[in-house]
Amino acid sequence: MSEIQIFGMSPLKGEISIQGSKNAVLPMMAAALLHRGTTVLMNVPDIRDVACMTDILEHLGCRCRRQGDCMAIDARQIEQTAIPDCFVCAMRSSIIVLGALLGRMGEGGGCYPGGCLIGARPIDLHLKVFRELGAQIEEKDGHLRVRRGAGGIRGAEICLSYPSVGATEQAILASVLAEEVTVVHGAAKEPEIESLCDFLNNMGAVICGMGTEHLMIQGVRRLHDSSFRVDGDRIVAGTYGAAAAAAGGDVLLKGVKPSDLREPLRILGRMGARIQPEEKEGRIRISMDGVPGAVHICTGPYPQFPTDLQSPFMAALACGQGTSRVEEQVFEARFAAARALRAFGARISIREREAVVEGTRPLMGAQVMAPDLRGGAALAVAGLAAEGETRIGNCRHIERGYEDICRDLSALGARIRWVKEDGT
Ligand code: EPZ
């Protein structure tokens, strides 16, 4: 198990290309199951969660071939319809494979994804989607089996009480090959949902309403071979924006749409950063003199501030000036990073879903453990703005969503590297 070593207090300078989006590519890989043929994805990030989804697809009978950042998924032969427990436990989002299996094979099974480090993460809305589409659901010993109803997957009018990303993806995947039209009211509007719909339409699906809370999916009988380029990862880009705010400097992030990051860029501007978005070129220049000013962040469904950037931004605020408030309105237990940041001398008090951050400069380097994926990235952000050495353990969490955070940040001039167990 390797660690990350950082020597902080160096401003960031330079330009990097942002990897493909984890939260866009995972549902696309699941959607490839819907087509009895080959689907090619480009700009696929080389991260643990993609490796896990690849293992799931291959277990089900697909052939996945990777060449650089391209992946070809041949889903002609599907021999299994149950997802092994180990995969669901390793990656909760594998639950959306059930929707694709239901659509393609008429059935799918897997264990209940437990809660995780950031909350209970129930799947009641996923089950509601299946029921409204006429599927039967059997639940036994912590396992779930969904089956097409006697009348097939009929169209439905589904109202989501919360714009759940996963439940919206479930509804789309399960209804693309349905007999009739499905409408989803209260759908999530994250860019990753829009990408999934664009990807499916490129395969021959008929989906409209993207970017709104009302999606309409007209069932089709078959899809066709296709290729599609995955957008840049807005959360990885936002993480590096927070790093630039924390460490200071001048960075250019390429291969990402500024319009996907409107609220985080607005907040960075309020923190004192200079933002130069170039939508056509798909890049964002972020420069920061001085220390981050205090702001109020409140996470919420898109287009509100994304919960996945809450802890990286909190790390930047912790090394700034003034008193900031951070409200986490999406997940009920997503302040583990805030507690870990105290090891750097950060002054953060937590009450229910609100953290109050008293900016402290400089933070002091610390020996810490990544508590979860985005919390681990937040500790790296803090290390960049801390005096002395920081060591971060438990980096497997970070590798789930960041191709190589050391590669990217050192390309921007940070003194950061992987240290193997033997110290090399
Ligand atoms: C997706 O998770 C993302 N994961 C998460 O990113 C992201 O934080 C989240 O959306 C919110 O944007 C992937 O895309 C793989 P939700 P998901 O369903 O689909 C409640 C990361 O760091 N809820 O929108 O699980 C739930 O408890 C990860 O990359 C129900 O109550 O998010 C939570 O409070 C972390 N019942 C809220 O909705 C349900 O049936 C948001 O969950 C489903 C969800």
Side-chain angles (χ1 to χ4, degrees):
M1 176 80 80
S2 46
E3 279 191 337
I4 291 176
Q5 177 192 49
I6 303 171
F7 289 100
M9 307 302 276
S10 318
L12 299 185
K13 194 148 183 56
E15 58 183 67
I16 52 170
S17 294
I18 297 294
Q19 69 185 60
S21 166
K22 166 176 91 78
N23 292 349
V25 77
L26 292 175
M28 289 177 189
M29 291 175 73
L33 281 168
L34 292 167
H35 170 45
R36 283 180 177 72
T38 299
T39 302
V40 175
L41 286 165
M42 295 170 282
N43 200 28
V44 176
D46 183 9
I47 54 178
R48 284 186 185 281
D49 276 10
V50 165
C52 183
M53 186 60 88
T54 304
D55 289 345
I56 292 171
L57 295 184
E58 291 186 333
H59 172 84
L60 298 175
C62 296
R63 281 186 58 227
C64 300
R65 274 165 295 134
R66 181 158 196 153
Q67 180 75 33
D69 73 0
C70 293
M71 178 180 285
I73 300 169
D74 175 349
R76 279 173 295 179
Q77 299 292 333
I78 302 298
E79 291 129 14
Q80 296 273 353
T81 59
I83 311 164
D85 296 4
C86 58
F87 293 129
V88 181
C89 299
M91 184 176 72
R92 305 184 66 266
S93 54
S94 48
I95 188 81
I96 59 168
V97 172
L98 285 187
L101 284 170
L102 182 64
R104 166 74 185 268
M105 306 298 287
E107 61 170 22
C111 68
Y112 257 92
C116 69
L117 299 155
I118 60 177
R121 304 188 77 178
I123 59 166
D124 55 307
L125 296 174
H126 295 243
L127 300 180
K128 170 188 169 73
V129 163
F130 291 141
R131 284 194 193 94
E132 308 245 345
L133 287 169
Q136 265 110 42
I137 299 173
E138 282 161 35
E139 301 172 63
K140 193 158 165 271
D141 306 333
H143 281 75
L144 201 52
R145 189 133 201 96
V146 292
R147 279 199 179 79
R148 192 180 295 172
I153 296 288
R154 58 173 191 266
E157 187 131 14
I158 302 168
C159 296
L160 293 179
S161 53
Y162 180 90
S164 154
V165 170
T168 303
E169 290 167 348
Q170 206 70 274
I172 295 166
L173 295 172
S175 60
V176 159
L177 299 175
E179 310 289 323
E180 303 134 14
V181 175
T182 296
V183 178
V184 184
H185 297 297
K189 299 186 284 188
E190 272 68 3
E192 293 78 19
I193 299 287
E194 238 183 291
S195 294
L196 176 62
C197 295
D198 292 342
F199 164 74
L200 281 161
N201 283 343
N202 185 51
M203 284 171 82
V206 179
I207 307 172
C208 54
M210 284 78 93
T212 77
E213 56 195 70
H214 304 285
L215 288 178
M216 180 180 279
I217 302 109
Q218 158 74 48
V220 294
R221 300 187 67 75
R222 68 181 55 74
L223 300 166
H224 55 69
D225 286 5
S226 67
S227 64
F228 193 85
R229 181 177 175 76
V230 181
D231 280 344
D233 192 311
R234 64 188 173 108
I235 303 301
V236 170
T239 303
Y240 297 158
D250 184 352
V251 301
L252 179 65
L253 305 177
K254 300 184 292 185
V256 65
K257 291 181 191 167
S259 54
D260 284 350
L261 277 163
R262 205 163 277 126
E263 183 58 9
L265 293 177
R266 185 186 74 81
I267 292 288
L268 280 175
R270 296 286 303 274
M271 290 162 68
R274 182 155 174 261
I275 310 293
Q276 294 165 271
E278 297 175 40
E279 188 70 22
K280 226 168 24 13
E281 294 76 9
R283 56 193 198 184
I284 310 166
R285 186 168 176 183
I286 300 169
S287 43
M288 181 76 171
D289 304 324
V291 296
V295 294
H296 173 222
I297 290 175
C298 185
T299 69
Y302 192 86
Q304 295 175 59
F305 190 92
T307 172
D308 295 346
L309 286 176
Q310 177 255 103
S311 41
F313 271 63
M314 189 181 302
L317 295 170
C319 63
Q321 60 194 3
T323 303
S324 296
R325 284 174 50 226
V326 178
E327 292 180 69
E328 173 50 65
Q329 294 303 325
V330 177
F331 290 107
E332 72 276 18
R334 202 168 197 175
F335 281 144
R339 283 184 277 277
L341 287 168
R342 289 174 179 148
F344 292 87
R347 290 181 294 153
I348 303 174
S349 59
I350 299 167
R351 191 168 41 81
E352 288 160 16
R353 290 205 173 198
E354 181 179 79
V356 176
V357 185
E358 299 290 345
T360 312
R361 192 104 185 166
L363 296 176
M364 305 315 290
Q367 177 101 15
V368 287
M369 301 294 273
D372 54 56
L373 163 55
R374 306 302 175 184
L379 299 180
V381 169
L384 297 176
E387 244 174 23
E389 180 183 9
T390 289
R391 289 263 180 144
I392 305 172
N394 242 359
C395 293
R396 285 175 69 85
H397 286 305
I398 302 174
E399 293 166 331
R400 288 190 49 199
Y402 295 80
E403 253 181 9
D404 188 338
I405 197 165
C406 294
R407 173 199 68 194
D408 291 344
L409 290 173
S410 51
L412 295 174
R415 290 179 294 162
I416 180 171
R417 71 184 183 106
W418 294 106
V419 176
K420 295 205 173 19
E421 267 178 353
D422 60 11
T424 56

